[in-house]
Amino acid sequence: MRENDLRELLEDMSLKEKIGQLTQLDASCFNDEGPVTGPASALGIAEEDIFLCGSVLGSAGAAETEALQRMCMAKQPHGIPLLLMADIINGYKTIFPIPLAQGCSFDPQVAHKSAEIMAKEAAVAGLHVTFAPMVDLVRDARWGRVMESTGEDPYLNSLMAAAMVQGIQGNEKNYQDRLAACTKHFAAYGAPIAGKEYNNVELSDRSLREDHLPSYKAAVDAGSAMMMTSFNTIDRVPATANKYLMRQILREEMGFDGVLISDWNAVGELIEHGVAENPHQAAELAISAGVDMDMMSGCYMRGLEQLVQQGIISEQLIDESVWRLLQLKNHIGLFENPFRSASDLKELEMILSEGHRQAAREIAAKTFVLLKNEEKILPLEHNDSVAFIGPYIEEKTILGAWSFFGRAEDCISIREAIEARGVQAEYEQGCSILNPGQALYGFRYNTENKFTESEIDKMIIAAVGLAAKRDKVVLALGESNLHTGEGGSRGDIAIPDIQNKLLDAVYEVNKNIIVLVFAGRPLDIRDIKEKAKAILYVWMPGTEGGNAIADTIYGDFVPQAKLSMSLPYSVGQVPVFYSEMRTGRHTEDGAEPTNRFLTKYCDIPNDPLYPFGFGLSYTDFAISPIRLSSNKLTMDTMVKATVTVKNCGSREGTETVQLYIRDDYASVARPTRELKGIRQIRLAPGNEVEVDFEIDASMLRFYDINMEYRAQPGDFTVWIGNDSKTENKACFTLV
Ligand code: BGC
């Protein structure tokens, strides 16, 4: 539609109709015959107003979305099409590894490819927008939603955020055959106090801007069409009512001109937060802060009309938001074709196609982190005598907590993958995922341990019998899918006790144990580290998880992933992250053990069990000392930092070389080191290559004592290595 026609449309709309456009309802408000009054009336929305809504979330499938679109357009006074949105996070039906695992690839191409495939599948299923990517920086492993982020580091997250937005939206101006991205959750939702879901966030402005905001900015710069607010407060102001965040930072400073939607009922929750007394006031606060659309609270429908009539807010404020939404609908071509790419034929052809499955398999393998491999017990040989044991050997609920449309039955389990390879192996479940009597409650399903203690004892006995007969044991353990995701905060981040019991029992009879860890977060795996010879952290690997695991443990794929989040020694360290700030009494593990008065614990180490950036390969890489092109850098020159990387092992493999920098002295305290560059190289055995990083002053900027974002002259330390603990360093001065 031409812009003039769109303007005319806006001018012709009644106030009520405009407010309807700004309201998003859930698919449960409709069925084949018409509106379902229950859910809408719970939001205070009258039956005759349901069809005024501008957007619906959670409906999917070409036939379903077409029918819904047709029905709603017929009833909308101007026939304005709905914007159809859903949570397509790590896949539509072909499910990729969870985003935290994708972060471990350290490869934006991985994020791009999976985002592209999920967007293509969801587009033919009739969707227009996905509530993704989630780019919240995460450092607290207790929080269930760490699985939806790409990790603890602003630089890595920014690369991944941009790649995901580009993968979702594609290169066509109108996101043809793809989706529009709705980046979330603005802002700092990943820093709830004590890792507790929906908890308040207390951050300094410096930490907000330096650590948390860069990934949202990267998504905005990559062209994210939409943004979602977060549930949390920042500086005691709920994000959804936070003018400083939305109007100043997001719109003015970052230049975001897309549509801003609240999170689910976040406008209504302003009342629970205690900053609004009623739905009217909640609506006033949210629209004034710049929130264009109200997801599932009904407050806009209930309050805005009256607020305009009473002159509390202007109709122009509402027009601005409606205009942004109409522009988006127009941009993606809904006025010309309200069904866009929806096609049941293409659904059949494309969804879970061989190509998509193959991509999911390759991508999953690139996210598995090899944490330990004593005596090079991995990879296995096809004729090795192996027992496959554990509750995850046949488990198919390995898609991650957000795969609304992905189905467990489409997944390949480890057992199926091993059998398909024709390997002679035996299998035992060993125990359940949860402890006896344990139950977890989810949004779409619950899980309950169905076995009694004596049944599990028998399972353990059978597993021990099998382990004793075989040379090696592959033990697939982990937390439950329902331990992770929204509402999945945990106070204990170990695997359930019953699985530790299984590990102990197997260890009694066989010391050649390879543990596969299924998880949505960094778990406390101290016991596993002690007993296993090898540990492969496989996260929630998605539809092709079993095949990707088989490819990796049998050596067709050489592991290359690196941790995108530090793996804590124990929950007491959390939040633990590599770029912590220096203190007046900073110390390294092992230094001055008798000095009590240092920044450390007196009962556990300071270092995580495995640091950010760490991950082994089946081959070995050696990284030479750093050569700097100069030890002086000016504000407009650059210094080249070079290392030689050699594959000294016997397998071809990929190494991720990481550049870290520290500002040694500055006007405010600075992190111990910060990731500033990544290079991925593939090398055949015996080969070597020079790897360069160009360092310039723009990479050294920070918010100084006056909150000016600039580089400050002085000394800097640079490290280049293959994890965040590398001691391979050199120094230069910025003059
Ligand atoms: C979540 C969002 C999600 C929305 C819609 C909320 O509970 O916080 O991330 O996009 O629901 O499903």
Side-chain angles (χ1 to χ4, degrees):
M1 192 185 281
R2 286 175 319 152
E3 191 162 314
N4 274 348
D5 298 337
L6 203 63
R7 276 272 168 222
E8 270 175 29
L9 171 63
L10 176 62
E11 277 159 24
D12 202 50
M13 288 165 74
S14 68
L15 177 59
K16 193 159 190 183
E17 210 184 331
K18 290 181 201 169
I19 295 167
Q21 280 299 302
L22 302 183
T23 298
Q24 181 176 70
L25 296 179
D26 176 61
S28 66
C29 295
F30 305 87
N31 67 18
D32 297 349
E33 269 102 60
V36 177
T37 43
S41 70
L43 304 177
I45 298 176
E47 184 173 347
E48 67 273 18
D49 292 339
I50 294 179
F51 285 115
L52 293 181
C53 80
S55 172
V56 170
L57 85 153
S59 173
E64 184 183 314
T65 52
E66 272 194 48
L68 179 66
Q69 186 69 292
R70 245 180 246 290
M71 175 171 76
C72 290
M73 283 176 72
K75 298 276 171 58
Q76 207 286 339
H78 285 89
I80 301 176
L82 292 170
L83 189 69
L84 296 173
M85 303 184 62
D87 290 274
I88 317 292
I89 307 296
N90 48 312
Y92 174 63
K93 292 223 167 146
T94 306
I95 305 296
F96 292 86
I98 54 172
L100 190 60
Q102 293 189 32
C104 294
S105 71
F106 271 58
D107 179 1
Q109 282 310 314
V110 158
H112 188 280
K113 185 83 192 162
S114 57
E116 176 185 333
I117 291 176
M118 75 183 195
K120 285 181 173 170
E121 287 193 358
V124 297
L127 284 158
H128 309 145
V129 186
T130 171
F131 295 118
M134 171 176 131
V135 303
D136 307 325
L137 184 92
V138 293
R139 292 177 170 174
D140 193 323
R142 290 170 296 185
W143 193 45
R145 299 193 81 169
V146 299
M147 56 151 278
E148 292 174 57
S149 163
T150 50
E152 74 179 47
D153 183 66
Y155 175 81
L156 180 64
N157 282 5
S158 299
L159 294 180
M160 293 294 176
M164 284 176 174
V165 169
Q166 285 153 2
I168 290 168
Q169 298 190 160
N171 297 327
E172 301 286 336
K173 207 176 141 273
N174 59 356
Y175 324 134
Q176 201 182 336
D177 300 325
R178 307 270 181 104
L179 303 176
C182 177
T183 301
K184 63 192 189 185
H185 307 83
F186 199 77
Y189 181 40
I193 294 171
K196 208 159 31 165
E197 186 62 286
Y198 315 126
N199 211 357
N200 298 306
V201 168
E202 290 286 346
L203 286 176
S204 69
D205 207 30
R206 234 179 226 102
S207 169
L208 173 69
R209 285 169 176 278
E210 254 169 48
D211 304 333
H212 294 267
L213 294 185
S215 49
Y216 306 104
K217 171 78 167 95
V220 170
D221 290 347
S224 180
M226 291 187 67
M227 185 74 78
M228 185 191 293
T229 69
S230 54
F231 286 126
N232 54 284
T233 61
I234 291 192
D235 197 17
R236 318 230 166 141
V237 182
T240 306
N242 199 318
K243 274 191 182 161
Y244 171 62
L245 271 186
M246 308 301 169
R247 293 221 179 258
Q248 183 177 324
I249 297 183
L250 181 63
R251 296 257 185 231
E252 264 181 47
E253 297 180 23
M254 291 190 181
F256 175 70
D257 60 3
V259 177
L260 177 62
I261 188 169
S262 77
D263 201 344
W264 180 286
N265 191 34
V267 179
E269 286 173 18
L270 295 177
I271 303 169
E272 306 304 322
H273 275 293
V275 301
E277 284 181 24
N278 50 48
H280 286 63
Q281 204 188 353
E284 180 196 340
L285 288 175
I287 194 108
S288 307
V291 178
D292 298 319
M293 293 181 72
D294 170 8
M295 184 201 302
M296 277 306 278
S297 88
C299 290
Y300 277 16
M301 281 282 232
R302 269 191 277 184
L304 288 183
E305 196 176 8
Q306 214 182 343
L307 289 167
V308 173
Q309 283 156 358
Q310 291 170 344
I312 297 173
I313 59 163
S314 68
E315 187 160 350
Q316 198 203 330
L317 196 62
I318 290 176
D319 285 356
E320 280 169 22
S321 292
V322 180
W323 180 241
R324 277 195 279 266
L325 178 63
L326 291 180
Q327 272 186 313
L328 176 59
K329 289 185 174 183
N330 195 30
H331 187 74
I332 64 172
L334 287 183
F335 291 104
E336 282 73 33
N337 176 8
F339 312 110
R340 257 187 126 230
S341 317
S343 151
D344 36 18
L345 270 183
K346 286 208 180 124
E347 277 183 307
L348 281 176
E349 202 179 284
M350 185 188 288
I351 290 173
L352 284 163
S353 68
E354 262 317 295
H356 288 185
R357 278 188 172 273
Q358 185 57 28
R361 180 171 180 164
E362 286 165 17
I363 283 175
K366 287 183 177 174
T367 68
F368 299 159
V369 190
L370 182 65
L371 294 173
K372 183 174 176 185
N373 195 15
E374 251 174 46
E375 299 161 23
K376 296 216 186 294
I377 188 169
L378 282 177
L380 301 171
E381 299 287 339
H382 265 199
N383 53 3
D384 278 351
S385 148
V386 187
F388 285 87
I389 296 173
Y392 269 102
I393 290 293
E394 295 195 39
E395 181 62 51
K396 293 190 172 200
T397 310
I398 52 173
L399 301 173
W402 262 126
S403 60
F404 268 17
F405 306 103
R407 298 179 317 177
E409 58 265 37
D410 292 326
C411 272
I412 308 293
S413 70
I414 297 175
R415 179 169 183 165
E416 284 167 342
I418 301 295
E419 283 175 348
R421 294 175 83 87
V423 172
Q424 289 304 310
E426 282 181 86
Y427 308 87
E428 279 294 343
Q429 183 178 350
C431 68
S432 46
I433 294 176
L434 298 181
N435 294 328
Q438 201 180 355
L440 291 170
Y441 304 98
F443 167 49
R444 288 166 306 147
Y445 69 99
N446 302 327
T447 179
E448 200 182 327
N449 188 355
K450 293 184 232 93
F451 298 102
T452 62
E453 232 157 296
S454 71
E455 280 169 330
I456 294 183
D457 283 344
K458 283 190 199 131
M459 287 158 80
I460 294 183
I461 291 168
V464 167
L466 176 60
K469 283 198 311 196
R470 295 281 179 157
D471 295 343
K472 295 173 182 174
V473 179
V474 171
L475 204 49
L477 308 174
E479 64 179 344
S480 158
N481 206 43
L482 282 185
H483 272 128
T484 76
E486 187 170 350
S489 291
R490 295 188 64 188
D492 170 13
I493 54 169
I495 56 169
D497 293 342
I498 194 71
Q499 296 186 48
N500 266 323
K501 192 169 166 191
L502 172 68
L503 171 66
D504 290 347
V506 168
Y507 183 72
E508 285 300 309
V509 297
N510 194 327
K511 303 280 183 278
N512 291 322
I513 300 177
I514 295 143
V515 173
L516 307 172
V517 183
F518 287 77
R521 58 160 57 75
L523 291 172
D524 169 351
I525 56 163
R526 270 174 298 165
D527 287 343
I528 295 175
K529 185 180 180 188
E530 203 183 299
K531 301 200 173 85
K533 285 206 170 134
I535 306 173
L536 189 68
Y537 215 90
V538 298
W539 306 101
M540 289 291 166
T543 313
E544 285 289 319
N547 278 329
I549 289 170
D551 292 344
T552 309
I553 61 179
Y554 281 100
D556 298 345
F557 181 84
V558 177
Q560 62 185 56
K562 305 282 182 181
L563 288 176
S564 60
M565 216 180 149
S566 308
L567 226 61
Y569 174 85
S570 68
V571 74
Q573 279 187 335
V574 168
V576 57
F577 51 98
Y578 82 92
S579 59
E580 64 179 4
M581 302 300 298
R582 278 183 289 170
T583 71
R585 297 185 182 197
H586 187 78
T587 184
E588 303 283 322
D589 274 350
E592 300 189 65
T594 55
N595 184 353
R596 170 183 186 88
F597 302 103
L598 297 170
T599 308
K600 65 175 185 181
Y601 302 99
C602 62
D603 57 349
I604 58 168
N606 264 0
D607 280 347
L609 199 66
Y610 293 103
F612 174 83
F614 178 82
L616 302 171
S617 166
Y618 292 154
T619 190
D620 298 304
F621 294 97
I623 300 182
S624 75
I626 303 171
R627 303 183 293 278
L628 291 182
S629 60
S630 164
N631 54 11
K632 291 251 174 308
L633 176 67
T634 67
M635 289 294 175
D636 41 32
T637 57
M638 63 98 177
V639 163
K640 202 184 263 185
T642 308
V643 289
T644 306
V645 183
K646 182 169 184 182
N647 182 346
C648 323
S650 53
R651 297 287 306 257
E652 182 168 347
T654 296
E655 181 58 300
T656 301
V657 186
Q658 302 156 40
L659 169 81
Y660 295 88
I661 300 183
R662 179 182 70 196
D663 191 339
D664 294 339
Y665 302 99
S667 53
V668 294
R670 305 280 298 123
T672 39
R673 58 178 74 177
E674 292 172 287
L675 183 67
K676 294 287 179 181
I678 297 168
R679 294 271 184 286
Q680 245 167 16
I681 47 157
R682 188 153 185 88
L683 282 177
N687 282 10
E688 59 179 42
V689 69
E690 288 208 338
V691 176
D692 291 331
F693 292 95
E694 292 180 356
I695 301 170
D696 66 38
S698 73
M699 295 158 71
L700 310 177
R701 287 179 295 180
F702 67 103
Y703 285 91
D704 73 4
I705 190 80
N706 301 315
M707 283 306 279
E708 276 172 38
Y709 190 60
R710 66 182 189 101
Q712 204 180 324
D715 292 341
F716 290 80
T717 306
V718 41
W719 290 263
I720 301 179
N722 50 14
D723 67 49
S724 60
K725 284 278 165 198
T726 176
E727 277 311 319
N728 190 26
K729 64 180 178 185
C731 296
F732 67 88
T733 306
L734 175 68
V735 292

